[in-house]
Amino acid sequence: MPRDPSPTALYHVVADHLETFLASLDADPDAKGLPAYVQHEFYDYLQYGILAHGFLRLGCDTCKHEMLLAFSCKRRGVCPSCSGRRMAQTAAHLVKRVIPWVPTRQWVVSVPVPLRYWMAASQELTAKVHTIIRTTIGQYYVHQALTRGFPRAKVQPGSVTFIQRFGSALNLNLHFHCVFLEGVHLDRTEAGLKPRFVQGEPPSDTDIAAVCSCGAGDAVQKISRRIIRKLRHLGYLEAGLDAAVATGYDPLHNDAPELARTLAASVQQRIAFGERAGQHVRHIGAGFGREGERPLLSGPRCASVHGFSLHANTQVPAHRRDQSERLIRYTARGAVSLERLTQDANGDGSSPSLRPNLSLATTG
């Protein structure tokens, strides 16, 4: 059945308010407007399902029935249909062709509010932060193998990461969902054998809360310290100070000030433009906690420190491939769920995600 987004609340919000929003930016002499790719995201979504913008003609050789199938927008930020198809295809591919039949565990890492904003504007910074997170968690499984006598050069952890850019209210909330194999692979190439999987032990609450000194116990502590050190090196935080103090370094503000304003508002769940706009958002605070702060256990296998949060309580047994696919669907899902969006009589949404300003702020 061809997808038609026009009856949905999301489509009505974008169609009714996009031109007004862009016109307000054009009318502001101090505004430079949003980047072209942001506008293309929404315009392509509005063309989705309209035959005039391109279609396939499909026919059956037996019954001679024919139908026209409009092109999809193939965008990544707004369209729930395109995001849903990509989610399903990615999950099926990873479960069938990539992830072996071994236990897996999801590690979810959230970061302080300022870092969410900085990463949203910099793919390079996001990649550096992800490398720190992936290698730090991987070291937990490697350390377990070392304590069992396996040589370091022969063991290798495995993982796949999904970087989500949104929160439950469509606010900007860039965080990491890492699906790790619950163990390591042992290289046996020299013996002419295939790699053997060595299953590890699941992390305990004590491990996650940073009690032990070598394994996952200081994972969240190590992640926070290494990322803060990297931010100081890159100029985002003041060097030579014990506390994490922002320097004010913001390349996005110079290159695309309106996008910077929108992202900064979204990361704090504020309205960026219009009659209900909050104060002019530029400073978003330190958000890295206090020096000497110890990890706080906030739930089963969940700890936080310095504004970083690590949750690792979701585990899938080796034989439950259906659960693995559901988990990856969850980690690879799109930002917008049409089932959670409603619109009341005066045009406002029952969720802040329906406000056009906030919806715009979550894209990019």
Side-chain angles (χ1 to χ4, degrees):
M1 179 65 67
R3 295 292 184 92
D4 181 12
S6 59
T8 65
L10 175 66
Y11 189 92
H12 283 292
V13 168
V14 176
D16 294 345
H17 297 282
L18 178 59
E19 293 296 341
T20 303
F21 174 73
L22 296 177
S24 67
L25 292 181
D26 292 338
D28 187 348
D30 297 327
K32 296 184 179 180
L34 296 173
Y37 73 86
V38 177
Q39 300 184 37
H40 291 162
E41 181 86 30
F42 288 96
Y43 280 130
D44 288 352
Y45 171 66
L46 293 178
Q47 294 177 2
Y48 184 8
I50 299 177
L51 297 176
H53 296 291
F55 60 87
L56 291 176
R57 184 175 182 178
L58 305 176
C60 177
D61 294 336
T62 302
C63 67
K64 306 303 180 183
H65 175 72
E66 293 186 349
M67 64 177 296
L68 302 181
L69 180 65
F71 290 154
S72 61
C73 64
K74 295 182 174 63
R75 289 290 179 171
R76 300 175 64 89
V78 178
C79 181
S81 177
C82 292
S83 298
R85 181 172 61 254
R86 186 179 296 110
M87 170 195 70
Q89 292 173 346
T90 300
H93 171 71
L94 289 176
V95 171
K96 293 179 180 179
R97 298 182 179 273
V98 178
I99 298 178
W101 285 64
V102 300
T104 55
R105 181 173 299 276
Q106 177 186 223
W107 299 69
V108 183
V109 181
S110 299
V111 301
V113 169
L115 183 51
R116 300 173 194 175
Y117 169 78
W118 295 330
M119 289 194 302
S122 174
Q123 292 183 356
E124 181 181 1
L125 177 61
T126 303
K128 292 181 182 298
V129 171
H130 170 242
T131 298
I132 293 173
I133 291 172
R134 175 178 52 82
T135 55
T136 302
I137 298 174
Q139 285 174 358
Y140 163 67
Y141 292 110
V142 170
H143 173 74
Q144 284 194 345
L146 297 183
T147 59
R148 297 168 61 180
F150 296 103
R152 174 63 184 89
K154 296 293 185 180
V155 295
Q156 182 67 41
S159 67
V160 58
T161 300
F162 294 89
I163 303 175
Q164 294 188 357
R165 301 174 62 89
F166 52 89
S168 60
L170 277 183
N171 56 303
L172 178 63
N173 180 12
L174 203 153
H175 58 289
F176 301 84
H177 288 251
C178 306
V179 179
F180 267 82
L181 308 185
E182 192 87 295
V184 296
H185 273 98
L186 177 64
D187 184 7
R188 301 188 295 174
T189 305
E190 294 180 354
L193 301 174
K194 294 182 179 180
R196 178 169 70 89
F197 182 72
V198 180
Q199 185 168 340
E201 295 294 328
S204 66
D205 291 344
T206 304
D207 291 333
I208 297 297
V211 174
C212 71
S213 59
C214 297
D218 53 353
V220 68
Q221 187 88 317
K222 282 183 178 179
I223 288 171
S224 66
R225 288 176 177 172
R226 291 173 178 177
I227 291 177
I228 290 174
R229 187 186 309 126
K230 176 62 70 172
L231 293 174
R232 288 193 173 110
H233 175 74
L234 296 175
Y236 289 93
L237 297 178
E238 294 284 359
L241 299 178
D242 292 336
V245 178
T247 61
Y249 174 66
D250 188 359
L252 183 64
H253 174 49
N254 298 326
D255 298 336
E258 296 308 315
L259 180 60
R261 176 183 174 185
T262 309
L263 294 179
S266 180
V267 79
Q268 299 178 103
Q269 300 195 43
R270 296 187 184 184
I271 299 176
F273 304 95
E275 297 178 355
R276 294 181 292 171
Q279 295 181 351
H280 195 59
V281 178
R282 282 293 178 261
H283 177 65
I284 56 179
F288 289 90
R290 65 185 186 279
E291 182 65 17
E293 180 181 351
R294 298 298 300 169
L296 173 66
L297 184 64
S298 53
R301 294 190 177 93
C302 183
S304 58
V305 66
H306 295 138
F308 295 85
S309 174
L310 174 62
H311 181 273
N313 198 41
T314 302
Q315 193 261 4
V316 179
H319 66 283
R320 293 305 305 268
R321 305 299 280 180
D322 57 331
Q323 291 185 6
S324 294
E325 187 163 353
R326 284 200 299 270
L327 174 62
I328 296 175
R329 280 173 172 255
Y330 169 75
T331 59
R333 71 193 187 279
V336 181
S337 172
L338 294 178
E339 291 76 11
R340 298 182 61 182
L341 302 182
T342 58
Q343 193 169 11
D344 57 27
N346 62 8
D348 289 335
S350 61
S351 165
S353 60
L354 274 187
R355 297 173 183 168
N357 297 330
L358 191 54
S359 296
L360 286 166
T362 62
T363 302

